PDB file of all heavy atoms in Angstrom:
ATOM      1  N   PHE A   3      89.310  77.512 115.768  1.00  0.00           N
ATOM      2  CA  PHE A   3      90.542  76.809 116.296  1.00  0.00           C
ATOM      3  C   PHE A   3      91.684  77.832 116.525  1.00  0.00           C
ATOM      4  O   PHE A   3      92.599  77.551 117.303  1.00  0.00           O
ATOM      5  CB  PHE A   3      90.925  75.710 115.337  1.00  0.00           C
ATOM      6  CG  PHE A   3      90.181  74.429 115.542  1.00  0.00           C
ATOM      7  CD1 PHE A   3      89.286  73.950 114.605  1.00  0.00           C
ATOM      8  CD2 PHE A   3      90.384  73.700 116.688  1.00  0.00           C
ATOM      9  CE1 PHE A   3      88.594  72.788 114.844  1.00  0.00           C
ATOM     10  CE2 PHE A   3      89.664  72.477 116.923  1.00  0.00           C
ATOM     11  CZ  PHE A   3      88.795  72.055 115.938  1.00  0.00           C
ATOM     12  N   GLU A  19      91.762  68.941 106.966  1.00  0.00           N
ATOM     13  CA  GLU A  19      90.526  68.255 107.225  1.00  0.00           C
ATOM     14  C   GLU A  19      89.269  69.064 106.998  1.00  0.00           C
ATOM     15  O   GLU A  19      88.180  68.586 106.978  1.00  0.00           O
ATOM     16  CB  GLU A  19      90.496  67.807 108.728  1.00  0.00           C
ATOM     17  CG  GLU A  19      91.377  66.639 109.066  1.00  0.00           C
ATOM     18  CD  GLU A  19      91.074  65.406 108.286  1.00  0.00           C
ATOM     19  OE1 GLU A  19      89.996  64.839 108.412  1.00  0.00           O
ATOM     20  OE2 GLU A  19      91.913  64.999 107.456  1.00  0.00           O
ATOM     21  N   GLY A  20      89.515  70.377 106.866  1.00  0.00           N
ATOM     22  CA  GLY A  20      88.341  71.277 106.635  1.00  0.00           C
ATOM     23  C   GLY A  20      87.685  71.668 107.947  1.00  0.00           C
ATOM     24  O   GLY A  20      86.520  72.156 107.893  1.00  0.00           O
ATOM     25  N   TYR A  21      88.334  71.486 109.044  1.00  0.00           N
ATOM     26  CA  TYR A  21      87.728  71.915 110.350  1.00  0.00           C
ATOM     27  C   TYR A  21      88.092  73.398 110.600  1.00  0.00           C
ATOM     28  O   TYR A  21      89.261  73.713 110.579  1.00  0.00           O
ATOM     29  CB  TYR A  21      88.296  71.084 111.534  1.00  0.00           C
ATOM     30  CG  TYR A  21      88.022  69.632 111.527  1.00  0.00           C
ATOM     31  CD1 TYR A  21      87.346  69.003 110.515  1.00  0.00           C
ATOM     32  CD2 TYR A  21      88.489  68.878 112.621  1.00  0.00           C
ATOM     33  CE1 TYR A  21      87.146  67.627 110.584  1.00  0.00           C
ATOM     34  CE2 TYR A  21      88.242  67.526 112.665  1.00  0.00           C
ATOM     35  CZ  TYR A  21      87.573  66.884 111.645  1.00  0.00           C
ATOM     36  OH  TYR A  21      87.377  65.522 111.723  1.00  0.00           O
ATOM     37  N   SER A  22      87.170  74.210 110.932  1.00  0.00           N
ATOM     38  CA  SER A  22      87.507  75.546 111.316  1.00  0.00           C
ATOM     39  C   SER A  22      86.965  75.891 112.666  1.00  0.00           C
ATOM     40  O   SER A  22      87.598  76.587 113.462  1.00  0.00           O
ATOM     41  CB  SER A  22      86.997  76.591 110.276  1.00  0.00           C
ATOM     42  OG  SER A  22      85.604  76.332 110.036  1.00  0.00           O
ATOM     43  N   ILE A  23      85.792  75.330 113.035  1.00  0.00           N
ATOM     44  CA  ILE A  23      85.209  75.662 114.326  1.00  0.00           C
ATOM     45  C   ILE A  23      85.244  74.377 115.244  1.00  0.00           C
ATOM     46  O   ILE A  23      84.794  73.285 114.845  1.00  0.00           O
ATOM     47  CB  ILE A  23      83.739  76.090 114.202  1.00  0.00           C
ATOM     48  CG1 ILE A  23      83.809  77.408 113.294  1.00  0.00           C
ATOM     49  CG2 ILE A  23      83.110  76.381 115.507  1.00  0.00           C
ATOM     50  CD1 ILE A  23      82.454  77.823 112.805  1.00  0.00           C
ATOM     51  N   PRO A  24      85.800  74.551 116.449  1.00  0.00           N
ATOM     52  CA  PRO A  24      85.788  73.371 117.344  1.00  0.00           C
ATOM     53  C   PRO A  24      84.370  73.037 117.848  1.00  0.00           C
ATOM     54  O   PRO A  24      83.560  73.963 117.974  1.00  0.00           O
ATOM     55  CB  PRO A  24      86.663  73.797 118.552  1.00  0.00           C
ATOM     56  CG  PRO A  24      86.734  75.307 118.442  1.00  0.00           C
ATOM     57  CD  PRO A  24      86.458  75.732 117.058  1.00  0.00           C
ATOM     58  N   THR A  25      84.070  71.802 117.989  1.00  0.00           N
ATOM     59  CA  THR A  25      82.785  71.396 118.541  1.00  0.00           C
ATOM     60  C   THR A  25      82.812  71.701 120.064  1.00  0.00           C
ATOM     61  O   THR A  25      83.901  71.893 120.600  1.00  0.00           O
ATOM     62  CB  THR A  25      82.515  69.877 118.331  1.00  0.00           C
ATOM     63  OG1 THR A  25      83.473  69.159 119.088  1.00  0.00           O
ATOM     64  CG2 THR A  25      82.656  69.500 116.836  1.00  0.00           C
ATOM     65  N   GLN A  28      85.361  69.889 122.078  1.00  0.00           N
ATOM     66  CA  GLN A  28      86.749  70.296 121.728  1.00  0.00           C
ATOM     67  C   GLN A  28      87.063  71.642 122.383  1.00  0.00           C
ATOM     68  O   GLN A  28      88.178  71.796 122.939  1.00  0.00           O
ATOM     69  CB  GLN A  28      86.917  70.339 120.228  1.00  0.00           C
ATOM     70  CG  GLN A  28      86.781  68.971 119.586  1.00  0.00           C
ATOM     71  CD  GLN A  28      86.528  69.010 118.087  1.00  0.00           C
ATOM     72  OE1 GLN A  28      86.491  70.054 117.471  1.00  0.00           O
ATOM     73  NE2 GLN A  28      86.285  67.838 117.533  1.00  0.00           N
ATOM     74  N   GLN A  46      79.263  61.312 123.924  1.00  0.00           N
ATOM     75  CA  GLN A  46      79.204  60.136 123.047  1.00  0.00           C
ATOM     76  C   GLN A  46      80.006  60.357 121.747  1.00  0.00           C
ATOM     77  O   GLN A  46      80.419  61.516 121.475  1.00  0.00           O
ATOM     78  CB  GLN A  46      77.721  59.989 122.641  1.00  0.00           C
ATOM     79  CG  GLN A  46      76.784  59.822 123.778  1.00  0.00           C
ATOM     80  CD  GLN A  46      75.351  59.504 123.333  1.00  0.00           C
ATOM     81  OE1 GLN A  46      74.997  59.718 122.197  1.00  0.00           O
ATOM     82  NE2 GLN A  46      74.576  58.994 124.225  1.00  0.00           N
ATOM     83  N   THR A  47      80.083  59.335 120.930  1.00  0.00           N
ATOM     84  CA  THR A  47      80.688  59.496 119.627  1.00  0.00           C
ATOM     85  C   THR A  47      79.727  60.429 118.826  1.00  0.00           C
ATOM     86  O   THR A  47      78.543  60.434 119.107  1.00  0.00           O
ATOM     87  CB  THR A  47      80.887  58.212 118.843  1.00  0.00           C
ATOM     88  OG1 THR A  47      79.701  57.486 118.974  1.00  0.00           O
ATOM     89  CG2 THR A  47      82.052  57.405 119.382  1.00  0.00           C
ATOM     90  N   GLY A  48      80.276  61.109 117.824  1.00  0.00           N
ATOM     91  CA  GLY A  48      79.465  61.998 117.056  1.00  0.00           C
ATOM     92  C   GLY A  48      79.524  63.444 117.547  1.00  0.00           C
ATOM     93  O   GLY A  48      79.086  64.359 116.849  1.00  0.00           O
ATOM     94  N   THR A  49      80.168  63.657 118.714  1.00  0.00           N
ATOM     95  CA  THR A  49      80.306  64.961 119.268  1.00  0.00           C
ATOM     96  C   THR A  49      81.612  65.640 118.924  1.00  0.00           C
ATOM     97  O   THR A  49      81.922  66.758 119.268  1.00  0.00           O
ATOM     98  CB  THR A  49      80.203  64.941 120.798  1.00  0.00           C
ATOM     99  OG1 THR A  49      81.118  63.951 121.264  1.00  0.00           O
ATOM    100  CG2 THR A  49      78.801  64.598 121.243  1.00  0.00           C
ATOM    101  N   GLY A  50      82.529  64.827 118.251  1.00  0.00           N
ATOM    102  CA  GLY A  50      83.847  65.316 117.968  1.00  0.00           C
ATOM    103  C   GLY A  50      84.812  64.945 119.085  1.00  0.00           C
ATOM    104  O   GLY A  50      85.864  65.527 119.258  1.00  0.00           O
ATOM    105  N   LYS A  51      84.404  63.978 119.886  1.00  0.00           N
ATOM    106  CA  LYS A  51      85.168  63.531 121.037  1.00  0.00           C
ATOM    107  C   LYS A  51      86.617  63.079 120.691  1.00  0.00           C
ATOM    108  O   LYS A  51      87.554  63.364 121.382  1.00  0.00           O
ATOM    109  CB  LYS A  51      84.385  62.336 121.652  1.00  0.00           C
ATOM    110  CG  LYS A  51      85.100  61.654 122.774  1.00  0.00           C
ATOM    111  CD  LYS A  51      84.153  60.721 123.424  1.00  0.00           C
ATOM    112  CE  LYS A  51      83.535  59.618 122.533  1.00  0.00           C
ATOM    113  NZ  LYS A  51      84.232  58.357 122.618  1.00  0.00           N
ATOM    114  N   THR A  52      86.725  62.358 119.585  1.00  0.00           N
ATOM    115  CA  THR A  52      88.085  61.807 119.265  1.00  0.00           C
ATOM    116  C   THR A  52      89.109  62.923 119.072  1.00  0.00           C
ATOM    117  O   THR A  52      90.164  62.899 119.672  1.00  0.00           O
ATOM    118  CB  THR A  52      87.996  60.983 117.972  1.00  0.00           C
ATOM    119  OG1 THR A  52      86.820  60.150 118.056  1.00  0.00           O
ATOM    120  CG2 THR A  52      89.226  60.098 117.848  1.00  0.00           C
ATOM    121  N   ALA A  53      88.703  63.964 118.309  1.00  0.00           N
ATOM    122  CA  ALA A  53      89.622  65.089 118.042  1.00  0.00           C
ATOM    123  C   ALA A  53      89.822  65.842 119.361  1.00  0.00           C
ATOM    124  O   ALA A  53      90.918  66.348 119.642  1.00  0.00           O
ATOM    125  CB  ALA A  53      89.058  66.041 117.018  1.00  0.00           C
ATOM    126  N   GLN A  97      89.011  53.614 113.790  1.00  0.00           N
ATOM    127  CA  GLN A  97      88.596  54.989 113.532  1.00  0.00           C
ATOM    128  C   GLN A  97      89.459  56.006 114.286  1.00  0.00           C
ATOM    129  O   GLN A  97      89.821  57.049 113.827  1.00  0.00           O
ATOM    130  CB  GLN A  97      87.123  55.221 113.930  1.00  0.00           C
ATOM    131  CG  GLN A  97      86.189  54.767 112.827  1.00  0.00           C
ATOM    132  CD  GLN A  97      84.757  54.691 113.286  1.00  0.00           C
ATOM    133  OE1 GLN A  97      83.980  54.033 112.646  1.00  0.00           O
ATOM    134  NE2 GLN A  97      84.391  55.394 114.341  1.00  0.00           N
ATOM    135  N   TYR A 105      95.051  64.076 112.054  1.00  0.00           N
ATOM    136  CA  TYR A 105      95.421  65.278 112.801  1.00  0.00           C
ATOM    137  C   TYR A 105      96.932  65.371 113.053  1.00  0.00           C
ATOM    138  O   TYR A 105      97.476  66.382 113.281  1.00  0.00           O
ATOM    139  CB  TYR A 105      94.697  65.419 114.170  1.00  0.00           C
ATOM    140  CG  TYR A 105      93.223  65.108 114.122  1.00  0.00           C
ATOM    141  CD1 TYR A 105      92.596  64.315 115.057  1.00  0.00           C
ATOM    142  CD2 TYR A 105      92.456  65.628 113.030  1.00  0.00           C
ATOM    143  CE1 TYR A 105      91.218  64.026 114.984  1.00  0.00           C
ATOM    144  CE2 TYR A 105      91.056  65.346 112.937  1.00  0.00           C
ATOM    145  CZ  TYR A 105      90.502  64.524 113.955  1.00  0.00           C
ATOM    146  OH  TYR A 105      89.145  64.258 113.839  1.00  0.00           O
ATOM    147  N   ASP A 317      81.826  55.583 112.346  1.00  0.00           N
ATOM    148  CA  ASP A 317      81.925  57.028 111.969  1.00  0.00           C
ATOM    149  C   ASP A 317      82.115  57.082 110.462  1.00  0.00           C
ATOM    150  O   ASP A 317      83.130  56.680 109.946  1.00  0.00           O
ATOM    151  CB  ASP A 317      83.099  57.601 112.682  1.00  0.00           C
ATOM    152  CG  ASP A 317      83.258  59.058 112.298  1.00  0.00           C
ATOM    153  OD1 ASP A 317      82.309  59.660 111.811  1.00  0.00           O
ATOM    154  OD2 ASP A 317      84.409  59.561 112.465  1.00  0.00           O
ATOM    155  N   ASP A 319      81.915  59.627 107.283  1.00  0.00           N
ATOM    156  CA  ASP A 319      81.763  61.002 106.885  1.00  0.00           C
ATOM    157  C   ASP A 319      80.690  61.125 105.832  1.00  0.00           C
ATOM    158  O   ASP A 319      80.563  60.308 104.980  1.00  0.00           O
ATOM    159  CB  ASP A 319      83.106  61.579 106.276  1.00  0.00           C
ATOM    160  CG  ASP A 319      84.113  61.833 107.334  1.00  0.00           C
ATOM    161  OD1 ASP A 319      83.720  62.040 108.485  1.00  0.00           O
ATOM    162  OD2 ASP A 319      85.318  61.891 107.014  1.00  0.00           O
ATOM    163  N   ARG A 345      76.297  64.201 111.508  1.00  0.00           N
ATOM    164  CA  ARG A 345      77.332  64.294 112.510  1.00  0.00           C
ATOM    165  C   ARG A 345      78.104  65.566 112.402  1.00  0.00           C
ATOM    166  O   ARG A 345      78.287  66.158 111.294  1.00  0.00           O
ATOM    167  CB  ARG A 345      78.320  63.119 112.368  1.00  0.00           C
ATOM    168  CG  ARG A 345      77.586  61.825 112.334  1.00  0.00           C
ATOM    169  CD  ARG A 345      78.496  60.646 112.543  1.00  0.00           C
ATOM    170  NE  ARG A 345      78.636  60.439 113.994  1.00  0.00           N
ATOM    171  CZ  ARG A 345      79.441  59.572 114.488  1.00  0.00           C
ATOM    172  NH1 ARG A 345      80.272  58.938 113.753  1.00  0.00           N
ATOM    173  NH2 ARG A 345      79.490  59.406 115.769  1.00  0.00           N
ATOM    174  N   ALA A 346      78.566  66.073 113.579  1.00  0.00           N
ATOM    175  CA  ALA A 346      79.373  67.239 113.642  1.00  0.00           C
ATOM    176  C   ALA A 346      78.913  68.394 112.753  1.00  0.00           C
ATOM    177  O   ALA A 346      79.609  68.936 111.961  1.00  0.00           O
ATOM    178  CB  ALA A 346      80.843  66.933 113.347  1.00  0.00           C
TER     179      ALA A 346
HETATM  180  P1  AMP B   1      83.620  61.644 116.893  1.00  0.00           P
HETATM  181  O1  AMP B   1      82.627  62.147 117.859  1.00  0.00           O
HETATM  182  O2  AMP B   1      85.032  61.820 117.340  1.00  0.00           O
HETATM  183  O3  AMP B   1      83.275  60.293 116.407  1.00  0.00           O
HETATM  184  O4  AMP B   1      83.538  62.668 115.615  1.00  0.00           O
HETATM  185  C1  AMP B   1      82.383  62.717 114.744  1.00  0.00           C
HETATM  186  C2  AMP B   1      82.669  63.287 113.401  1.00  0.00           C
HETATM  187  O5  AMP B   1      82.867  64.665 113.453  1.00  0.00           O
HETATM  188  C3  AMP B   1      83.952  62.740 112.683  1.00  0.00           C
HETATM  189  O6  AMP B   1      83.534  62.421 111.366  1.00  0.00           O
HETATM  190  C4  AMP B   1      84.902  63.864 112.677  1.00  0.00           C
HETATM  191  O7  AMP B   1      85.745  63.797 111.530  1.00  0.00           O
HETATM  192  C5  AMP B   1      84.057  65.074 112.631  1.00  0.00           C
HETATM  193  N1  AMP B   1      84.563  66.267 113.339  1.00  0.00           N
HETATM  194  C6  AMP B   1      85.154  66.278 114.606  1.00  0.00           C
HETATM  195  N2  AMP B   1      85.536  67.532 114.893  1.00  0.00           N
HETATM  196  C7  AMP B   1      85.111  68.377 113.894  1.00  0.00           C
HETATM  197  C8  AMP B   1      85.172  69.786 113.699  1.00  0.00           C
HETATM  198  N3  AMP B   1      85.703  70.580 114.574  1.00  0.00           N
HETATM  199  N4  AMP B   1      84.679  70.247 112.532  1.00  0.00           N
HETATM  200  C9  AMP B   1      84.120  69.400 111.656  1.00  0.00           C
HETATM  201  N5  AMP B   1      84.022  68.076 111.742  1.00  0.00           N
HETATM  202  C10 AMP B   1      84.483  67.530 112.859  1.00  0.00           C
END
Side-chain angles (χ1 to χ4, degrees):
F3 276 112
E19 285 303 294
Y21 296 2
S22 51
I23 299 170
T25 66
Q28 293 162 5
Q46 302 186 344
T47 47
T49 52
K51 171 170 62 98
T52 316
Q97 278 170 200
Y105 314 137
D317 178 21
D319 283 341
R345 310 196 86 186

